[in-house]
Amino acid sequence: MTLTPEARRAGARRAPLLLAAGLCLLAGLDAALLLLGLPAPVTSERLPQVHGVLLVLGFAGTLVALERAVALGSRWGYLAPAALGTGGLLLLTPVSLTVPRSLLVAGSAFLTALYVRFWRRQPSAALLAQAAGAVSALGAALLWLGGLDVPRLLPWLVAFLVLTIAGERLELARVAVLSPHAEPTFLACLGAVAAGIATTLMWPATGTLLLGAALLALVAWLVVHDAARRLLRSTGLPRFTAACLLAGYAWLGLAGALWLLGGPVAGGSRYDAVVHAVFLGFVMSMIMAHAPVILPAVLRRPLPYHPGLAAAAWLLHGSLLLRVVVGDLREVRGAWQLGGVLNIAAVLLFVLTAATTSVAATRRASSSPAPPPASPAPAPASPAPAPADPRTTR
């Protein structure tokens, strides 16, 4: 990857937004320790209350909005990650919650506007799914601003990231030849998810059952049509990406099954299982899978594959099995706490490995000598003859 001065400047301008997302992640991990009943570096009464929104809208929302703003290429697009990142950071301060909640609403609205602009360029089923995810984020932010508690917002927060990621996977799947029924089936799954999250507000039991079934159908579509199953036989980065994708689909399927079979959850071990199956098992696994592609696109810095990335991913999934299957579903408190601590360690290991690998690769790219300029072609001794037939020219 060639690091031109222009690319360096572009990456430097976007770095503060990525830093805001990173700070939201670290604060969310600190809050996770508090929720596990363990000592944490920072102790705050507010942190456990804003833990979920901080990670979904403050961290993941800023990442999604930043990537979309880079793709759009317009300055106003950066209002979305700026508002989401600032709102997330203000959740960590003593200011009234109305201020960061309002900023999260604004950031989600700007993100929705980004998709409107993309839609005008080229409408597609994949873009519709991502736009529906942004609308779900806006709905969650508005409902939270109106005073609804986070467990009632959970379906909306889940839909935001699940639909965003599913839309991106559809976009990549279209590179291959899809069957004529693939996109209509995908749109049916999208409609079922949207109907499910809307119904949970009025009829929680019915909406949760519908949402659980819709998620299972969406997982089935992704497993069938995603290229991950074929890439699993490769090596290096393709295999790592494929493994993260398939593991993430399995966790999303578990969350859908828990909702379908168990109905609404507002607390307790089953709530913990659903939340972390989606946001750690599925979302974080997707972030790990796409980081080697997204980070270079956003920061203009290379991130080559390193075995440490795979080690962090397997630690995440192994510890999540301990936390969810043993700790939550069998209600073993020690396994729940140990799994939670290892979850945090896995995320930190991934961030540290990605950062050090990227810095090392950037230094290598910066220190490598530039290729010598091409020698000018020698001038012809005499003018070249014109072609006899002008139709032979291009």
Side-chain angles (χ1 to χ4, degrees), residues 362-376:
T362 301
R363 288 177 177 173
R364 288 195 299 269
S366 301
S367 60
S368 60
S375 302

Side-chain angles (χ1 to χ4, degrees), residues 14-26:
R14 298 163 189 164
L17 297 173
L18 191 63
L19 177 61
L23 291 174
C24 290
L25 173 63
L26 292 177

